[in-house]
Amino acid sequence: MNEFNLDQYLPHLSIDCVIFGYEGKELKILISKSKLGDNFWALPGGYIKKSEGIDKAASRILYERTALKNIYLEQFRVFGHETRIVESPYNEALRLGYLQYDATIFTEEVISWLTDRFVCIGYYALVDIQKVTTQNGEFDELLEWRNIQQIPNLMHDHNSIVEEALTALRLNFDAKLIGFNLLPEVFTMREIQELYETVYERNFANNNFQKKMLDLKVLERLEKKFTGAQNKAPYLYRFVKK
């Protein structure tokens, strides 16, 4: 990193992304372990360039971490409490971390800018985990998928952001038919049902669920999935956008 040009970014405004993935019947999110402190975990995020809109900034931040473009992305809430960041218990450790990282780049002016109050625009994204190639950002020691039920203590108010994102996801999951973004292109009816049961943390009656999905007329039925057992192969489906 050659410099951190404050004039390039909008002050006091940031983006944090809750990136949802689904794997092994588990709903997961991508979190970052920071280089700047001891066991500091956070959501992938970043700042907004003066030359870009907020949606474009969110897409750029996601691409930098996942190497994916055209991700399903939705803004769900703004987080702007008057003490946000400013009174964070992480601030002193972060100040020290910036200085140790490179004191010539992170001057007192830059550090004050970074640790001042920020209004955060929260986005959630839905990805097929198998298509993600995680890429560390400048201050990421590593990026890791974690089960939504096993999220560690995150920096600042990021745990609250995750909770709000999960609430928004559940509200929109059925109404906007966005769950298919978490699945591979081709899937079985059982795999769709398992995804819904994981997201909503409850079981659905098989016949009712299948009827509901088929009545939506958004699924194209393909050939059966070969399993080696006679007469038991389930049909494969793919999502067809209206």
Side-chain angles (χ1 to χ4, degrees), residues 38-99:
D38 182 21
N39 204 33
F40 285 3
W41 291 88
L43 293 171
Y47 305 108
I48 303 166
K49 295 179 181 179
K50 292 180 179 179
S51 60
E52 62 187 1
I54 56 175
D55 289 346
K56 185 177 179 180
S59 295
R60 170 180 55 80
I61 291 166
L62 283 168
Y63 177 76
E64 290 169 353
R65 280 3 194 279
T66 67
L68 292 180
K69 294 183 178 180
N70 302 316
I71 295 175
Y72 181 87
L73 182 66
E74 183 150 340
Q75 182 188 144
F76 66 96
R77 185 175 165 181
V78 174
F79 299 84
H81 192 273
E82 62 269 19
T83 62
R84 187 177 188 277
I85 304 296
V86 181
E87 295 185 6
S88 170
Y90 291 92
N91 262 4
E92 287 307 311
L94 286 173
R95 284 179 175 273
L96 180 60
Y98 285 125
L99 287 171

Side-chain angles (χ1 to χ4, degrees), residues 28 30 35 39 44 48 56 63 86 90 95 100 120-121 139 142 147 152 156 165 186 189 194 205 212 216 219:
K28 300 180 179 182
L30 191 65
K35 293 178 181 178
N39 204 33
I48 303 166
K56 185 177 179 180
Y63 177 76
V86 181
Y90 291 92
R95 284 179 175 273
Q100 292 176 338
C120 163
I121 303 172
F139 303 117
L142 60 89
N147 186 306
H156 308 316
V186 175
M189 186 64 68
E194 287 171 346
K212 171 188 172 180
L216 292 173
L219 297 180

